Amino acid sequence: SAVISQKPSRDICQRGTSLTIQCQVDSQVTMMFWYRQQPGQSLTLIATANQGSEATYESGFVIDKFPISRPNLTFSTLTVSNMSPEDSSIYLCSVRNGIRSTEAFFGQGTRLTVV
Amino acid sequence: AQRVTQPEKLLSVFKGAPVELKCNYSYSGSPELFWYVQYSRQRLQLLLRHISRESIKGFTADLNKGETSFHLKKPFAQEEDSAMYYCALRGSGANSKLTFGKGITLSVRP
């Protein structure tokens, strides 16, 4: 298993500002992901964080809006840039260990409110 | 494209009643299906996966490829089963992403 620490757990931000969310794992993991869960909606994959290279973004998400870093196998950050109220959501970090591993582990999430 | 449909948002039952949480999927290949659960104030966690064919906390789920369904069942619900349940699908490729349904809230009343 993997224990994931995600910071901050919640924040209220002004529109136009940026927030960086951190995800720390207690062991080295192969794959790290960032999800968004908007109110009343399902979890939507934003991107796969790749160690040492640019993240792989899903359709509808771009690097300028959601820059991602992954400097090593245990840490990643997601930045929500130039925020608007539509960015209010829960952001989740998830990891999967090993290319063939099927179980995904999740952080506790960051509840973001943009005012 | 892969898609997961959970047609209901809420299921409320009395303790001891049977539970069936519905999940249908759309995927052209051979998918892996999962049920994830989120209890109050806890993080999302894996409940069971179809390849394990096991019962977890009394819950079972059978993959029905003909009906493209993966319904979650429990014969006798307990109050501690109250939670949010998400059905999820992963495609057959090694780096395939995990796609979630919208989730259903199960409320078990005493």
Side-chain angles (χ1 to χ4, degrees), chain B residues 25-106:
Chain B
Y25 67 89
S26 173
Y27 185 69
S28 57
S30 296
E32 292 182 82
L33 274 296
F34 308 84
W35 277 97
Y36 280 82
V37 61
Q38 188 167 26
Y39 301 103
S40 178
R41 297 191 182 88
Q42 295 187 29
R43 63 190 64 200
L44 194 62
Q45 59 187 284
L46 179 67
L47 179 63
L48 55 79
R49 61 192 111 178
H50 89 271
I51 59 172
S52 298
R53 295 183 175 272
E54 57 193 344
S55 174
I56 304 292
K57 298 184 179 181
F59 285 97
T60 58
D62 292 319
L63 179 61
N64 186 323
K65 292 187 178 181
E67 296 182 358
T68 59
S69 68
F70 189 57
H71 304 326
L72 184 67
K73 300 178 183 179
K74 184 169 183 176
F76 308 103
Q78 303 299 314
E79 290 179 67
E80 55 266 29
D81 296 327
S82 296
M84 190 79 176
Y85 292 80
Y86 294 91
C87 183
L89 175 153
R90 193 164 82 94
S92 52
N95 295 324
S96 292
K97 65 180 182 181
L98 201 55
T99 298
F100 287 85
K102 290 190 175 183
I104 180 170
T105 299
L106 174 63

